[in-house]
């Protein structure tokens, strides 16, 4: 069940939030503490009576992260009015449930009860104690919310919901914040009763809430079960990634019961220990590509030589790593020009430069490196046994193929370029940057008559390989590109 909080503050705002989300919401939570005081009485009651979805009445006090500051008596009265108007559930905080029950009893109100607790101090709280406290309230539904600082902390949600499922106790558990997003999306995988999703972007009631449209139509979170195979992107940051808009629709089209979520991870060790067993595999991005490679027992392709992975699958004996970036970059280039025997200069000395250099050498290219920080180029060049130079001296390498792996020109700095001018003799230029597709570097190269290949082609190629390695599904670069373009426009 997907619950959408209606946060107002005005009646017009609330109506707009309902219109924006009613297709994707199973229930609304009316956040009485966030609504304007001017909107109350008969008008509010009419809103509840006319709701197309059941309503939860919540009036969250400041101590639990809400905005209500008045006496408890007034707070209960607001909830009570909503219950009289037909609210299906009343939400009451665990520390106030005794008083609320007495208050309701004397007024002959018997609302179905969600008993909740919100821990605002960041970090993973003691889950067992929280579960016992909430369970003791003997409520229709129990709800536990805390604030995650790192994606490994969603393991607390899984533990909480596992206990609740064992006791057949309907329960909601959520790790708030961007780091906890997966806990909201995977609620059915963990056996949760419901999740919360925002009516529209920026109109959630807590940080880290995806919109109801994304929750239902991209993640299809409400259809998931304990049998759903869980994949995701591990990195920091991961918010900008388009992966969820590509993997999830492709899984759905193939009838594959898999879900792909975002894991903003700082502490990779803990993540692997606490969340790893939940995963079938994952994509890996900065800054964990090299660290994750060290956790792999086996590799496919040139990943072992590269020393960095962007794809890992969990096998019975441990993690198996692959690097689909390197092959995808070279495949994109070789669709226009074979690299064997050609002079390729790679700009940059980071992870992408290393991966592409290893693969280019493997395919017979004569590789040289050029980097802004010459010392980094020297280290990598010496390690791979290829010549190197400072960025300013790139012309001396007489490249036929020029590959940009630096971040210069990446959105939002779209007017940057790693070079002031493209050396004469460059016949093909490739840029690993995919946002934007046509970078300043490529525009400059094209105006000098070079063939250009964008990072979007590489992105599609690495995604095709990654999806095959993770799930066994065969998808095409065209499918990936269509979804990538749609995601770039819509998200
Ligand atoms: P990284 O390890 O952080 O390396 C960044 C490199 O960029 C370093 O060599 C750095 O030089 C250089 N650099 C940064 N800003 C610069 C500037 N203003 N001028 C000149 N050089 C600059 O990053 P990475 O993992 O290699 O990734 C690099 C790029 O590849 C990113 O744009 C990423 O989006 C892209 N990529 C694309 C795909 C795809 O599918 N298309 C896949 C992976 C990566 P210093 O050493 O001097 O700091």
């Amino acid at each position: 069940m997907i619950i959408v909080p209606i946060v107002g503050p005005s009646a017009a705002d609330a109506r707009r939030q309902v219109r924006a989300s009613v297709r994707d919401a199973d229930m609304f939570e009316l956040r009485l503490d966030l609504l304007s005081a001017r909107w109350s009485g008969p008008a509010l009651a009419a809103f509840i009576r006319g709701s197309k979805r059941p309503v939860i009445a919540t009036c969250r006090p400041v101590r639990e992260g809400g905005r209500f500051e008045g006496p408890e008596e007034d707070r209960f009265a607001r909830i009570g009015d909503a219950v009289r108007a037909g609210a299906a559930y009343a939400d009451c905080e665990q520390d106030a449930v005794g008083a609320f029950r007495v208050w309701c009893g004397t007024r002959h109100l018997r609302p179905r009860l969600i008993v909740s607790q919100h821990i605002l101090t960041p970090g993973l709280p003691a889950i067992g104690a929280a579960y016992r406290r909430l369970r003791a309230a003997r409520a229709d539904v129990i709800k536990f919310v805390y604030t995650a600082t790192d994606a490994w902390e969603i393991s607390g949600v899984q533990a909480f919901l596992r206990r609740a499922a064992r006791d057949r106790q309907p329960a909601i558990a959520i790790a708030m914040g961007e780091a906890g997003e997966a806990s909201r999306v995977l609620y059915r995988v963990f056996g949760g009763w419901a999740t919360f999703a925002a009516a529209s972007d920026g109109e959630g009631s807590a940080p880290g809430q995806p919109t109801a449209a994304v929750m239902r139509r991209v993640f299809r979170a409400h259809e998931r079960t304990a049998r759903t195979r869980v994949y995701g992107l591990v990195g920091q940051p991961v918010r900008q990634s388009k992966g969820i808009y590509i993997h999830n629709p492709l899984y759905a089209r193939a009838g594959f019961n898999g879900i792909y979520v975002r894991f903003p991870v700082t502490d990779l060790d803990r993540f692997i220990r606490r969340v790893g067993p939940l995963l079938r595999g994952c994509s890996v991005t900065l800054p964990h590509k090299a660290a994750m490679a060290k956790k792999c027992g086996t590799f496919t392709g040139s990943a072992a030589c590269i020393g960095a992975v962007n794809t890992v699958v969990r096998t019975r004996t441990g993690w198996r790593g692959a690097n689909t970036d390197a092959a995808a970059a070279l495949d994109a280039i070789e669709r226009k020009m074979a690299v064997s025997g050609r002079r390729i200069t790679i700009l940059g000395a980071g992870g992408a430069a290393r991966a592409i250099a290893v693969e280019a050498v493997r395919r017979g290219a004569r590789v040289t490196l050029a980097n802004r920080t010459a010392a980094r180029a020297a280290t990598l060049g010496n390690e791979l046994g290829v010549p190197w130079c400072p960025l300013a001296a790139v012309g001396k390498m007489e490249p036929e193929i020029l590959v940009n792996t630096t971040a210069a020109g990446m959105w939002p700095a779209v007017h940057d370029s790693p070079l002031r001018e493209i050396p004469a003799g460059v016949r093909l230029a490739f840029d690993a940057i995919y946002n934007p597709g046509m970078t300043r570097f490529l525009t400059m190269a094209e105006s000098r008559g070079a063939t250009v290949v964008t990072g979007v082609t590489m992105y599609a190629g690495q995604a095709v390989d990654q999806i095959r390695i993770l799930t066994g599904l065969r998808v095409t670069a065209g499918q990936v590109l269509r979804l990538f373009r749609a995601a770039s426009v819509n998200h």
Side-chain angles (χ1 to χ4, degrees):
M1 190 151 45
I2 298 172
I3 302 172
V4 173
I6 301 301
V7 296
S10 71
D13 292 330
R15 277 193 289 272
R16 184 174 40 73
Q17 287 152 12
V18 166
R19 272 198 308 277
S21 64
V22 68
R23 263 180 70 190
D24 301 306
D26 298 301
M27 239 190 223
F28 290 125
E29 180 193 45
L30 199 54
R31 282 296 300 267
L32 300 163
D33 56 307
L34 303 179
L35 301 184
S36 154
R38 270 175 294 163
W39 186 37
S40 58
L44 192 58
F47 179 87
I48 297 170
R49 267 196 296 276
S51 174
K52 293 198 172 76
R53 299 282 180 274
V55 169
I56 300 170
T58 301
C59 191
R60 191 79 64 224
V62 170
R63 66 173 190 280
E64 295 250 349
R67 296 252 181 87
F68 191 86
E69 290 184 301
E72 287 294 80
E73 185 75 13
D74 292 359
R75 201 165 71 82
F76 295 168
R78 292 208 84 181
I79 300 172
D81 287 347
V83 170
R84 280 192 201 94
Y89 286 87
D91 179 308
C92 181
E93 297 67 28
Q94 182 262 332
D95 63 359
V97 70
F100 184 65
R101 278 197 168 115
V102 170
W103 188 93
C104 287
T106 55
R107 286 156 184 85
H108 307 293
L109 288 174
R110 289 175 145 257
R112 277 188 285 174
L113 209 54
I114 300 175
V115 171
S116 59
Q117 186 180 17
H118 298 73
I119 309 279
L120 303 178
T121 318
L124 181 62
I127 297 297
Y131 179 75
R132 283 191 295 278
R133 251 189 334 264
L134 283 159
R135 171 87 173 136
R138 296 188 314 281
D140 296 286
V141 181
I142 59 174
K143 177 181 174 194
F144 184 56
V145 180
Y146 59 92
T147 308
T149 59
D150 198 342
W152 68 267
E153 289 166 348
I154 72 159
S155 55
V157 166
Q158 188 179 15
F160 187 97
L161 292 176
R162 199 183 284 146
R163 290 191 68 163
R166 222 181 292 139
D167 294 340
R168 294 178 188 280
Q169 166 68 65
I172 299 169
I174 287 166
M176 282 191 297
E178 195 183 317
E181 182 187 75
S183 74
R184 298 178 179 278
V185 177
L186 298 175
Y187 78 104
R188 291 287 307 138
V189 175
F190 295 161
W193 184 71
T195 191
F196 284 76
S200 61
D201 273 327
E203 286 195 305
S205 59
Q209 268 175 10
T211 64
V214 168
M215 192 67 95
R216 183 173 294 271
R217 294 183 231 164
V218 176
F219 290 120
R220 294 179 298 119
H222 59 296
E223 294 174 2
R224 306 312 187 154
T225 67
R227 300 172 74 90
T228 299
R229 296 173 179 210
V230 180
Y231 304 90
L233 171 64
V234 172
Q236 186 67 280
V238 291
R239 176 139 291 280
Q240 77 295 345
S241 162
K242 307 275 180 245
I244 59 168
Y245 305 109
I246 293 168
H247 284 247
N248 287 305
L250 289 173
Y251 296 1
R253 260 173 233 177
F256 176 69
N257 184 12
I259 189 166
Y260 186 90
V261 294
R262 293 181 284 216
F263 296 111
V265 172
T266 303
D267 187 336
L268 184 65
D269 285 341
R270 274 201 169 131
F271 180 81
I272 294 297
R273 247 193 343 266
R274 307 287 286 262
V275 182
L278 170 72
L279 304 175
R280 291 298 183 120
C282 55
S283 314
V284 184
T285 189
L286 295 176
H288 300 310
K289 289 182 177 185
M292 192 66 214
K294 296 208 175 84
K295 300 196 179 303
C296 292
T298 51
F299 295 92
T300 50
S302 45
C305 305
I306 294 168
V309 294
N310 73 337
T311 311
V312 291
V313 287
R314 198 163 51 78
T315 70
R316 246 177 257 128
T317 52
W319 294 95
R320 187 172 63 232
N323 191 315
T324 67
D325 285 341
L330 268 297
D331 289 349
I333 293 168
E334 291 209 298
R335 245 172 256 131
K336 301 283 183 189
M337 188 182 287
V339 300
S340 179
R342 296 222 183 263
R343 291 185 302 278
I344 295 191
T345 300
I346 297 172
L347 312 178
R354 185 190 171 84
I356 292 173
V358 168
E359 183 66 14
V361 168
R362 204 181 67 82
R363 295 191 191 197
R366 291 150 67 194
V367 173
T368 55
L369 297 172
N371 193 44
R372 180 179 61 180
T373 308
R376 269 186 95 188
T379 308
L380 185 59
N382 293 341
E383 192 188 326
L384 302 181
V386 301
W388 56 272
C389 70
L391 213 46
V394 69
K396 292 205 182 102
M397 299 294 182
E398 299 180 349
E400 297 166 276
I401 298 174
L402 197 53
V403 171
N404 177 39
T405 73
T406 78
M410 188 157 68
W411 191 90
V414 293
H415 300 298
D416 282 1
S417 165
L419 299 178
R420 284 228 192 89
E421 60 179 45
I422 305 295
V426 170
R427 294 178 54 194
L428 183 144
F430 167 75
D431 201 329
I433 292 173
Y434 56 85
N435 183 16
M438 197 62 192
T439 56
R440 171 109 199 280
F441 166 76
L442 291 181
T443 310
M444 285 163 58
E446 197 172 47
S447 68
R448 302 242 8 191
T451 301
V452 297
V453 179
T454 74
V456 177
T457 323
M458 170 183 171
Y459 181 87
Q462 65 78 24
V464 166
D465 288 348
Q466 188 166 75
I467 290 170
R468 182 180 41 75
I469 292 168
L470 289 176
T471 64
L473 297 176
R474 306 273 168 175
V475 302
T476 66
Q479 285 177 305
V480 171
L481 281 175
R482 273 191 293 282
L483 289 164
F484 177 83
R485 290 199 184 108
S488 305
V489 172
N490 299 327
H491 303 283

